[in-house]
Amino acid sequence: MAQKRRSNSKSKQSFTKKATSILTRLFVWFLLVSVLWVLIYRFVNPPITLLMVLRNIERKSEGKALKMEKEWVDFKDISDNMKRAAVSAEDQLFLKHIGFDVNAIEKAFKTNKKGEKVKGGSTISQQTAKNVFLWPGRSWIRKGFEAYFTLLIEMLWSKERILEVYLNVIEMGDGIYGAEAAAQAYFGKSCTKLTRSQAALIAACFPNPRRWTPKKPTRYIKHRQYLIMKNMRRLGPLDF
């Protein structure tokens, strides 16, 4: 009987050892692959994101044609108005933080705890990490991965690169991704030539681009546009 117990104990220890070894190897591989992935995207423009794929799967299931309007524009060519509008609308401390705005997160947590309308406290860095490397959703697991990739891009990319990628992959309408596609769709011009008012109107729709559109701005969106333009004046030029 004692020998049987010892045998069971040894087999349990052996299983634990093997499981620990496999998990350790998986963790190391994840670290290596994720760091390499982020490093590659420091120099190579992301060709597609999971969100773009999922949106087209949704369109297909609804019997709609596939749609993915996007065109990459280098950071230096994007209108300064569009850059300042994005920062003014989404993350005014973008140049000062290291990926997270603690005050915004605390405010969002308190608001959500009260059961009021759910608010996010995501910075441009967090949104970029989510848009490029992850899937849409609000689970704690995804949030954990988002925090990890946010730290990676803050360490391995410049702020210019983060904003450049953000403005080129963000969803800006049904099947419309990036500032260039949005500028062409809504104003018939390149994002290099957007006025302050036009850039602010596009940025005003960022929180829910499938519900709101610069083509038919609601009273709420017009008010957001006004506030963003006000913040743009206060923000001034972006000193990278």
Side-chain angles (χ1 to χ4, degrees):
M1 196 76 173
Q3 194 174 357
K4 200 173 181 180
R5 281 201 204 100
R6 278 197 297 272
S7 176
N8 287 340
S9 177
K10 278 181 182 177
S11 76
K12 279 180 185 176
Q13 285 175 0
S14 175
F15 173 78
T16 305
K17 249 185 181 181
K18 282 180 184 176
T20 304
S21 175
I22 290 168
L23 287 172
T24 302
R25 268 182 269 175
L26 284 172
F27 179 68
V28 170
W29 271 108
F30 169 73
L31 287 179
L32 290 172
V33 170
S34 58
V35 170
L36 183 62
W37 192 9
V38 172
L39 269 175
I40 288 170
Y41 277 177
R42 178 180 176 178
F43 307 102
V44 178
N45 300 330
I48 197 168
T49 67
L50 184 56
L51 178 65
M52 294 175 191
V53 174
L54 292 174
R55 291 292 190 235
N56 271 308
I57 291 172
E58 287 172 11
R59 290 183 69 86
K60 197 73 176 170
S61 67
E62 293 167 5
K64 297 178 182 176
L66 300 181
K67 184 182 178 185
M68 198 187 300
E69 294 177 13
K70 63 186 182 73
E71 186 179 336
W72 194 275
V73 177
D74 292 336
F75 184 78
K76 61 182 174 57
D77 297 322
I78 299 172
S79 163
D80 189 58
N81 287 322
M82 189 68 252
K83 295 170 191 171
R84 292 194 296 118
V87 173
S88 297
E90 297 292 292
D91 186 4
Q92 292 174 45
L93 297 176
F94 174 63
L95 293 178
K96 296 178 181 176
H97 62 61
I98 55 166
F100 307 94
D101 184 343
V102 178
N103 291 331
I105 293 170
E106 284 178 356
K107 281 180 186 176
F109 179 75
K110 285 175 184 174
T111 302
N112 299 339
K113 200 174 179 183
K114 288 176 185 175
E116 296 173 16
K117 189 177 178 182
V118 177
K119 288 186 177 181
S122 295
T123 62
I124 284 175
S125 300
Q126 286 173 276
Q127 290 180 55
T128 304
K130 176 193 73 177
N131 290 338
V132 176
F133 301 102
L134 302 169
W135 63 94
R138 289 184 175 274
S139 70
W140 286 109
I141 292 172
R142 205 227 60 193
K143 274 289 181 187
F145 281 118
E146 181 186 297
Y148 171 70
F149 277 104
T150 297
L151 287 172
L152 277 187
I153 65 173
E154 280 283 343
M155 287 190 292
L156 301 175
W157 295 4
S158 64
K159 287 287 187 179
E160 291 101 318
R161 181 58 175 169
I162 293 172
L163 189 56
E164 177 186 33
V165 173
Y166 174 77
L167 287 173
N168 275 287
V169 303
I170 186 173
E171 186 177 32
M172 294 192 180
D174 185 19
I176 299 169
Y177 303 93
E180 179 64 15
Q184 295 286 359
Y186 302 129
F187 301 110
K189 60 164 71 174
S190 172
C191 71
T192 62
K193 297 175 181 176
L194 285 171
T195 65
R196 193 160 56 94
S197 173
Q198 290 167 340
L201 188 55
I202 290 174
C205 300
F206 278 2
N208 197 335
R210 300 178 84 198
R211 177 183 171 190
W212 300 315
T213 170
K215 278 188 175 177
K216 293 180 181 177
T218 62
R219 185 181 294 179
Y220 171 70
I221 289 302
K222 285 179 179 175
H223 180 62
R224 270 183 61 83
Q225 179 194 26
Y226 163 75
L227 293 176
I228 291 167
M229 289 174 71
K230 197 174 175 183
N231 287 335
M232 285 169 74
R233 281 193 292 271
R234 194 184 309 139
L235 188 69
L238 295 173
D239 299 319
F240 288 98

